[in-house]
Amino acid sequence: MPGSAAQSPSPRVVIPATPATSASVERGIVEAGFEEPRTLNPLFVADPLSDALSRLVFDGLVSLDPTSGEPVPALATSWDVSDDGTTYTFHLRENVRWHDGQPFTASDVAFTYTRLLDPAVRSPRYSRLAERVKSVDIIDSQTVRITLIRPDASFLSTLATIGIVPEHVLGTVLPQQLVTDPFGLSSAVGTGPFILTQWLRGVSLTFRANPDYYRGAPTIPHYTYRVVSTLDDLARGLQDGTIDWVTLDPAQVSQLPALDGVTVERYPGYELVLVALQLDPAKNKLFTDLRVRKALLLGIDRAAIVEKVWGEWARVAETLQPPASWAAGEPPVRYPYDPAEAQRLLEEAGWVLGDDGVRVRQGQRLQFGLLATGSDPSRRAVAELLQQQWRAIGVDVQLDLASWGEVRRRATQERDFDALLIGVLWDVDPDQSSVWSSDSFFDGLNFGHYLSPDVDRLLVEAVGTTDRARRIELYRAIEQQVLSDLPVLPIAFPDVIVVRSERLQVPAMNALVVRTRAGVEQWQVRADR
């Protein structure tokens, strides 16, 4: 159900389990994946896998309740907020120790945020913090005060959850050298439920339980992340009990055979696959006409794309708030597949069909490039379908398929594209300033230079109140405006797909748990049936 972060799973395959051996319980939980994290250091994590595994080792001031998504105490037991909503005073948990036995104090918190705010560190989180955090002050050894530039209701969910790093380990490292320091790569000292013991590049990461974890020692002795290279390796591991769980994309799930004792579950997620249009007239004037943007969306058979690319594992995106968000709701503006209306709008805008079936206006062809990640089968398939569907209404699209690294660079640094097919992983908090705000032109995710003073004002107002009902009302208004302006063309909300052995016992699994490993210290592996 849209808006619920705790939707019940919908198993696709349920077959009686093969009993686990006591050895599998002794080795703890084994997660598998085809990718490897880049780092565990919270100062530098920038991709979902690195962030998720980092949370095994590092805790933040607060964490997110796996059911409601609300901020709950972690390294801070409580916090006070000033009347104007700009000052947060965190009261830290006593008797917390780092994995090396040293005491955790307010100095560690101040050190972490000071480094994040230092441009010399080159943290991927720098811009977001610099735009929002004014100062960080130590009140005493167990109290720290963070002052914001302006009220921000998303602060606790997005910035106060960042993992805290130890000053006594990293304090002597020059800020500009932190990015190459082995901390987070070959060693890590945190306060979290697990302790990194070994990282074999391209093979596995192994963690052992932290017996002194302040929430109580984990119920399993070890946690391992294993890198697999093929679906056959994954299937064998799931079947013989050497792998307990994995997250997959729809293409991979469709190729995975039915396995005894293995379930496939889907959860509404936080990712929106969209096409961002270049609205900077200095780079491309084609999309400055709203009629062209509307025609492009009306010319997309999104239901057919979802069916062909994701099958049952995604839903058509008619809104901007993801289905896992508490702010999700009914679409304020609808754009059904209507190629006839799309062609009418293009004719009205002066684009008439040429002899080769491509529309022209004043000698200019209706043609543009679509930048996408060519190595991603799903992205490539979507791009090819878009190319076909737009050609049917007289638009010539040249596919610009590149590596993910190049796509990311061109999208976020150079803004070098006509149209961009990309997935945006929204925060758990519904604030979407990083994509719609004009403040995010150059160092955020406002890829196409979208400018709306009304949206800017509504975004500020929405994070300026903690009243959830009022925030939902404001986000509806933001959706109404953005979907009327169409700086992007929303395509699909892919589900989070979890494949797991019935041996693995998780109190509550959903997209938020997958994303943050919330409550991992309570996960168990069943020894027998």
Side-chain angles (χ1 to χ4, degrees), residues 85 143 173 191 215 295 398 448 493:
T143 313
V173 180
T191 58
R215 284 190 171 120
Q398 303 296 311
F493 288 120

mmCIF file of all heavy atoms in Angstrom, residues 85 143 173 191 215 295 398 448 493:
data_model
loop_
_atom_site.group_PDB
_atom_site.id
_atom_site.type_symbol
_atom_site.label_atom_id
_atom_site.label_comp_id
_atom_site.label_asym_id
_atom_site.label_seq_id
_atom_site.Cartn_x
_atom_site.Cartn_y
_atom_site.Cartn_z
ATOM 1 N N GLY A 85 13.688 25.724 15.896
ATOM 2 C CA GLY A 85 13.982 24.551 15.080
ATOM 3 C C GLY A 85 15.370 24.509 14.479
ATOM 4 O O GLY A 85 15.641 23.681 13.602
ATOM 5 N N THR A 143 27.597 15.714 25.785
ATOM 6 C CA THR A 143 26.591 16.582 25.167
ATOM 7 C C THR A 143 27.207 17.354 24.008
ATOM 8 O O THR A 143 28.296 17.917 24.131
ATOM 9 C CB THR A 143 26.026 17.590 26.192
ATOM 10 O OG1 THR A 143 25.690 16.911 27.398
ATOM 11 C CG2 THR A 143 24.785 18.278 25.625
ATOM 12 N N VAL A 173 45.340 12.254 11.208
ATOM 13 C CA VAL A 173 45.411 12.167 9.748
ATOM 14 C C VAL A 173 45.010 13.519 9.154
ATOM 15 O O VAL A 173 43.961 14.068 9.513
ATOM 16 C CB VAL A 173 44.475 11.067 9.208
ATOM 17 C CG1 VAL A 173 44.569 10.981 7.683
ATOM 18 C CG2 VAL A 173 44.808 9.718 9.837
ATOM 19 N N THR A 191 31.467 1.834 16.642
ATOM 20 C CA THR A 191 30.726 1.507 17.867
ATOM 21 C C THR A 191 29.567 0.579 17.558
ATOM 22 O O THR A 191 28.751 0.295 18.424
ATOM 23 C CB THR A 191 30.171 2.786 18.525
ATOM 24 O OG1 THR A 191 29.322 3.461 17.575
ATOM 25 C CG2 THR A 191 31.275 3.720 18.976
ATOM 26 N N ARG A 215 23.348 -1.978 22.580
ATOM 27 C CA ARG A 215 21.978 -2.495 22.466
ATOM 28 C C ARG A 215 21.916 -3.976 22.825
ATOM 29 O O ARG A 215 20.856 -4.595 22.747
ATOM 30 C CB ARG A 215 21.452 -2.296 21.042
ATOM 31 C CG ARG A 215 21.050 -0.864 20.715
ATOM 32 C CD ARG A 215 20.309 -0.829 19.380
ATOM 33 N NE ARG A 215 19.718 0.458 19.111
ATOM 34 C CZ ARG A 215 20.000 1.236 18.068
ATOM 35 N NH1 ARG A 215 20.903 0.831 17.187
ATOM 36 N NH2 ARG A 215 19.412 2.385 17.890
ATOM 37 N N ALA A 295 4.490 16.195 -24.466
ATOM 38 C CA ALA A 295 4.356 15.235 -25.559
ATOM 39 C C ALA A 295 5.270 14.030 -25.351
ATOM 40 O O ALA A 295 4.872 12.880 -25.612
ATOM 41 C CB ALA A 295 4.669 15.923 -26.887
ATOM 42 N N GLN A 398 18.980 9.558 -30.185
ATOM 43 C CA GLN A 398 20.261 8.879 -30.328
ATOM 44 C C GLN A 398 20.706 8.389 -28.951
ATOM 45 O O GLN A 398 20.852 9.193 -28.023
ATOM 46 C CB GLN A 398 21.309 9.838 -30.902
ATOM 47 C CG GLN A 398 20.921 10.458 -32.235
ATOM 48 C CD GLN A 398 20.780 9.424 -33.329
ATOM 49 O OE1 GLN A 398 21.664 8.581 -33.506
ATOM 50 N NE2 GLN A 398 19.674 9.471 -34.056
ATOM 51 N N GLY A 448 18.968 18.810 -14.564
ATOM 52 C CA GLY A 448 18.619 19.579 -15.749
ATOM 53 C C GLY A 448 18.420 21.058 -15.547
ATOM 54 O O GLY A 448 17.889 21.738 -16.419
ATOM 55 N N PHE A 493 8.897 2.893 -10.462
ATOM 56 C CA PHE A 493 9.393 2.653 -9.105
ATOM 57 C C PHE A 493 9.732 1.165 -8.999
ATOM 58 O O PHE A 493 8.858 0.334 -8.786
ATOM 59 C CB PHE A 493 8.333 2.993 -8.053
ATOM 60 C CG PHE A 493 8.063 4.457 -7.873
ATOM 61 C CD1 PHE A 493 6.796 4.970 -8.105
ATOM 62 C CD2 PHE A 493 9.059 5.317 -7.441
ATOM 63 C CE1 PHE A 493 6.522 6.314 -7.916
ATOM 64 C CE2 PHE A 493 8.793 6.670 -7.250
ATOM 65 C CZ PHE A 493 7.525 7.165 -7.491
#
